[in-house]
Amino acid sequence: MEIRELIEKIVKEMEEKGGLKNVVWVAAGGSNDGHYAAQYFMDRESTAVRSQMITSSEFEFAAPKCIGENTIAVITSMRGTKETIEAAKVAKELGAVTISQYVDESGLTEVCDYNVQYGSIWEDDEDQGRTNAGNALRIAMAIVDVTEGYKNYADAMDAFEKIQPAYVRAREYCRPLAKKWADQVKDEKTITVIASGPAYGSGHIFSTCNILEMLQIQSPTFNSCDFFHGPFEITDKNGAFFLLVADGRTRKADERAITFLKKYAGEKVYILDAKELGLDNLKDSVSEYFNHLLFTPILNNVYMKALSEATGIDYTTRRYMWKVEY
Amino acid sequence: MEIRELIEKIVKEMEEKGGLKNVVWVAAGGSNDGHYAAQYFMDRESTAVRSQMITSSEFEFAAPKCIGENTIAVITSMRGTKETIEAAKVAKELGAVTISQYVDESGLTEVCDYNVQYGSIWEDDEDQGRTNAGNALRIAMAIVDVTEGYKNYADAMDAFEKIQPAYVRAREYCRPLAKKWADQVKDEKTITVIASGPAYGSGHIFSTCNILEMLQIQSPTFNSCDFFHGPFEITDKNGAFFLLVADGRTRKADERAITFLKKYAGEKVYILDAKELGLDNLKDSVSEYFNHLLFTPILNNVYMKALSEATGIDYTTRRYMWKVEY
């Protein structure tokens, strides 16, 4: 069943129980961050449906009281992370309609009422509009359109068509730039990532999943809207900064951070602009909400891989994950 | 007017416009994090009122569509941060009822419909239950009780009475412990802070405002519920970790992080437990929601100050804030 059709069916069936009142996005690690685009969209555009994004264990241990028969729970895990399966069980026990997003079938797909398969963001993926983040955004947009009407829905569906070709072009465009950046920062102990608004989730994935988890290099993330209220105090000429510049309403904050860093930081400030990546090809009415869908695969497939090559750290190795008891 | 009375008045007056539907918490930097206890409470306990916590510039540039005449906007700034005043203007233009939380009168108190004064968390403060975080939590609890009933409301009001004596005792108890910790980590380039659930906001303030902004030492924050899905890969024997252990439902995740760090990290793992701080003296029904109100002043007034003394870094100095154009 197509996502739009699935949401229509669930919303219709929920009517007799009082209607859809809230949606919760539950996952662990990178899958949790992958819900950011959907949460950001719901936060900005939904007036009828409340939206919460919670990491799996926190949901398992302390689920919100509002979760019940008026809830859609979207629960994402590539291959069935243990904590996420537990969270899905809690959502189901509380009466929510559960939708899994999955790559391989697992205990998660057994628990959930509906299962939506996605393609991972890795390079050979066929459609960046059909990743976990892409499908979550489709779910969010369908929820708003079905429950209260989303005037830019057609523009958004058109944008999903344009993401994959934009990604393919951006991938080639960024390769030499990423190589140069990686050579410059390969010996850094810390790389600070800054992003805002609709691109913040991509920034957090890049730092926490790509740089920290995959390459074991320390990498804090800051919101450029909040950069001048504390985090900018660590700026100095030696620091390595990676700035995502969003295409959208919070771009002004990103540009303010650039101006400051050009003045007070040193040579190791790297700027990756959504406009450079081709987000401009999407309609202005919706392009903001697609920052995540272009930034995340480019950062993972081009920048992380370039840094892996420059540092000689194999990005498939882990110190602890899957290897020790925890 | 007392907070409870103010919320009753606003909710009653909003009835003719369709009632209170959502609350938004807006501030910058540490004041933004100070809303965490209220947001966490609303996320868990409210079934009728949606709650969003947004940093000032992000709200100014990309305010949620739901903000309007059915919204209470709580906007916090000690002395009128420029971005926060702009955000307050946006909230007001969109038709929200605006409540400022303030220490000194400023452009913010001029803009807002109602103004609630608070005491800063600094050592000589008279009541840790009347800080920005304390009053925001009071607002959240009043909102839930007035709109749908909060069965533990009386227990919560009782807990507010017990916070200040608990804080005073904890402050004395922690002083020698903090001195020992500070001497141990004074030369660290990075101190990683880990916290979860109702204590996560305190963890984020400690790392970003206290360690990073005030002392200019790098300090990432991670959620212990998500620690095993990426961040734990930076664990090694040389790393300095500071763990907050919450009293509440997510405590299991904090204890899981302790077990792991005791095994794979070295000597520089510090554990601060809410139970040690005296959160146990509050009723079990509500103690969870008061983690923030004890952790934050203890971390600021005892641990940050001890680290300032050990490092010789004056915590009132800044590199850029208030000093250069940005």
Side-chain angles (χ1 to χ4, degrees):
Chain A
M1 201 172 353
E2 265 298 306
I3 282 171
R4 167 78 192 205
E5 207 183 332
L6 175 61
I7 297 303
E8 280 175 358
K9 173 178 151 56
I10 294 170
V11 170
K12 197 170 168 54
E13 284 170 4
M14 224 177 246
E15 266 169 22
E16 63 189 32
K17 296 172 181 170
L20 177 63
K21 290 185 182 159
N22 53 76
V23 57
V24 65
W25 313 88
V26 180
S31 298
N32 182 36
D33 282 329
H35 287 147
Y36 195 86
Q39 174 67 31
Y40 186 84
F41 175 83
M42 293 297 297
D43 272 346
R44 264 64 200 173
E45 296 289 346
S46 165
T47 69
V49 178
R50 178 181 180 179
S51 178
Q52 290 168 275
M53 172 181 155
I54 310 180
T55 187
S56 300
S57 288
E58 203 160 292
F59 184 85
E60 182 196 345
F61 299 145
K65 204 174 155 192
C66 66
I67 306 298
E69 59 182 16
N70 305 105
T71 305
I72 292 177
V74 179
I75 306 153
T76 303
S77 176
M78 206 179 267
R79 296 181 200 90
T81 302
K82 192 179 65 179
E83 293 85 344
T84 304
I85 296 172
E86 291 307 310
K89 287 178 188 165
V90 170
K92 193 144 185 191
E93 275 161 25
L94 292 171
V97 173
T98 48
I99 304 175
S100 86
Q101 295 202 99
Y102 75 104
V103 170
D104 294 330
E105 288 187 358
S106 73
L108 179 66
T109 48
E110 275 169 42
V111 170
C112 290
D113 301 312
Y114 301 99
N115 298 300
V116 176
Q117 200 170 23
Y118 69 88
S120 88
I121 58 166
W122 292 90
E123 203 150 338
D124 56 358
D125 187 58
E126 289 167 21
D127 186 356
Q128 290 297 331
R130 291 281 179 194
T131 58
N132 51 338
N135 283 341
L137 185 61
R138 285 176 196 270
I139 292 171
M141 287 171 162
I143 286 173
V144 174
D145 195 44
V146 170
T147 56
E148 61 185 298
Y150 173 44
K151 71 172 182 186
N152 300 318
Y153 189 77
D155 289 356
M157 292 309 107
D158 174 64
F160 275 114
E161 299 301 313
K162 292 176 176 160
I163 277 292
Q164 184 66 10
Y167 162 70
V168 172
R169 278 192 302 273
R171 199 173 63 190
E172 303 317 309
Y173 166 82
C174 289
R175 276 209 177 106
L177 300 171
K179 191 180 180 318
K180 201 173 157 192
W181 166 74
D183 287 339
Q184 191 194 22
V185 300
K186 67 181 161 46
D187 299 318
E188 294 298 315
K189 295 269 182 289
T190 301
I191 299 169
T192 298
V193 177
I194 299 175
S196 76
Y200 183 80
S202 293
H204 198 262
I205 293 175
F206 186 47
S207 58
T208 311
C209 305
N210 293 152
I211 302 178
L212 191 159
E213 179 189 321
M214 294 183 179
L215 305 177
Q216 291 108 49
I217 298 166
Q218 186 60 272
S219 184
T221 330
F222 299 114
N223 186 330
S224 52
C225 286
D226 224 33
F227 186 59
F228 299 97
H229 306 285
F232 75 154
E233 289 291 329
I234 44 105
T235 306
D236 66 29
K237 301 281 185 214
N238 290 316
F241 293 89
F242 197 110
L243 268 92
L244 307 192
V245 185
D247 186 17
R249 289 172 288 173
T250 64
R251 186 178 180 86
K252 291 171 216 171
D254 304 331
E255 289 179 343
R256 187 180 173 199
I258 293 174
T259 304
F260 180 84
L261 289 171
K262 293 242 173 193
K263 203 164 171 182
Y264 294 104
E267 300 295 311
K268 290 173 286 187
V269 175
Y270 190 83
I271 293 158
L272 186 62
D273 190 335
K275 286 183 183 289
E276 265 186 287
L277 299 187
L279 209 70
D280 270 2
N281 299 327
L282 278 50
K283 294 207 168 115
D284 284 347
S285 55
V286 296
S287 64
E288 174 171 32
Y289 297 120
F290 289 81
N291 277 278
H292 188 110
L293 271 53
L294 259 184
F295 270 129
T296 295
I298 289 294
L299 290 166
N300 183 82
N301 293 342
V302 183
Y303 286 84
M304 182 281 289
K305 284 187 178 173
L307 191 55
S308 169
E309 204 174 315
T311 56
I313 304 167
D314 178 351
Y315 60 82
T316 66
T317 64
R318 299 289 185 275
R319 281 184 194 161
Y320 310 106
M321 197 177 280
W322 315 308
K323 289 184 174 172
V324 303
E325 208 179 313
Y326 51 85
Chain B
M1 199 168 0
E2 265 299 305
I3 281 171
R4 167 77 192 207
E5 207 184 331
L6 174 61
I7 297 303
E8 280 175 359
K9 175 178 149 58
I10 294 170
V11 169
K12 198 171 166 52
E13 285 172 2
M14 224 177 245
E15 266 168 22
E16 63 189 32
K17 294 172 183 170
L20 176 63
K21 290 185 184 160
N22 53 76
V23 56
V24 65
W25 313 88
V26 180
S31 298
N32 182 35
D33 282 330
H35 287 148
Y36 195 85
Q39 174 68 32
Y40 186 84
F41 175 82
M42 293 297 297
D43 273 346
R44 265 64 199 174
E45 296 290 345
S46 165
T47 69
V49 178
R50 178 181 180 180
S51 178
Q52 290 170 275
M53 171 181 155
I54 309 179
T55 189
S56 300
S57 289
E58 202 160 292
F59 184 85
E60 183 196 344
F61 299 145
K65 204 174 155 190
C66 66
I67 306 299
E69 59 182 15
N70 306 103
T71 305
I72 292 177
V74 179
I75 306 153
T76 303
S77 176
M78 206 178 268
R79 299 181 197 90
T81 301
K82 191 180 65 178
E83 293 85 345
T84 304
I85 297 172
E86 291 308 310
K89 287 179 188 165
V90 170
K92 194 144 184 191
E93 275 161 26
L94 292 171
V97 173
T98 48
I99 303 175
S100 85
Q101 294 203 98
Y102 74 105
V103 171
D104 295 328
E105 289 187 359
S106 72
L108 179 64
T109 49
E110 276 171 42
V111 170
C112 288
D113 300 312
Y114 301 98
N115 298 299
V116 176
Q117 201 170 21
Y118 69 88
S120 87
I121 60 166
W122 291 90
E123 204 152 336
D124 57 358
D125 187 58
E126 288 166 23
D127 185 356
Q128 290 299 330
R130 292 281 179 192
T131 58
N132 52 336
N135 283 340
L137 186 60
R138 284 176 197 270
I139 292 171
M141 287 171 162
I143 285 173
V144 173
D145 195 43
V146 170
T147 55
E148 60 185 299
Y150 172 44
K151 70 172 183 187
N152 300 318
Y153 189 77
D155 289 356
M157 292 309 106
D158 175 64
F160 276 114
E161 298 301 312
K162 292 176 176 160
I163 277 293
Q164 183 66 9
Y167 162 70
V168 171
R169 279 191 302 272
R171 199 173 63 189
E172 302 316 309
Y173 168 82
C174 289
R175 276 209 176 105
L177 300 171
K179 190 180 179 319
K180 203 174 155 190
W181 166 74
D183 286 339
Q184 192 193 22
V185 300
K186 66 180 162 42
D187 299 319
E188 294 299 315
K189 295 268 183 289
T190 301
I191 299 170
T192 298
V193 177
I194 300 174
S196 76
Y200 183 80
S202 293
H204 198 261
I205 292 175
F206 186 47
S207 58
T208 311
C209 304
N210 293 154
I211 302 178
L212 190 159
E213 178 190 321
M214 294 183 178
L215 306 177
Q216 291 108 49
I217 298 165
Q218 187 59 273
S219 185
T221 330
F222 299 113
N223 186 331
S224 53
C225 286
D226 223 32
F227 186 59
F228 299 96
H229 306 285
F232 75 154
E233 289 291 328
I234 44 106
T235 306
D236 65 31
K237 300 283 184 215
N238 290 315
F241 293 90
F242 197 110
L243 268 91
L244 307 193
V245 185
D247 186 18
R249 290 172 287 174
T250 63
R251 185 176 181 88
K252 292 170 216 173
D254 303 331
E255 289 179 342
R256 187 180 173 200
I258 293 174
T259 305
F260 179 83
L261 290 171
K262 293 242 174 192
K263 203 164 171 182
Y264 294 104
E267 300 295 312
K268 290 173 287 187
V269 175
Y270 189 83
I271 293 158
L272 186 62
D273 190 335
K275 286 183 184 289
E276 266 185 287
L277 299 188
L279 209 70
D280 269 4
N281 300 326
L282 278 50
K283 294 207 169 113
D284 285 347
S285 56
V286 297
S287 63
E288 175 171 33
Y289 297 122
F290 289 81
N291 278 278
H292 188 109
L293 271 54
L294 260 184
F295 270 130
T296 295
I298 290 294
L299 291 166
N300 183 81
N301 294 342
V302 183
Y303 287 84
M304 182 280 289
K305 284 186 177 173
L307 191 55
S308 169
E309 205 175 316
T311 55
I313 304 167
D314 178 351
Y315 60 82
T316 66
T317 64
R318 299 289 184 276
R319 283 185 192 160
Y320 309 105
M321 197 178 280
W322 316 309
K323 290 184 171 172
V324 304
E325 207 178 316
Y326 50 86

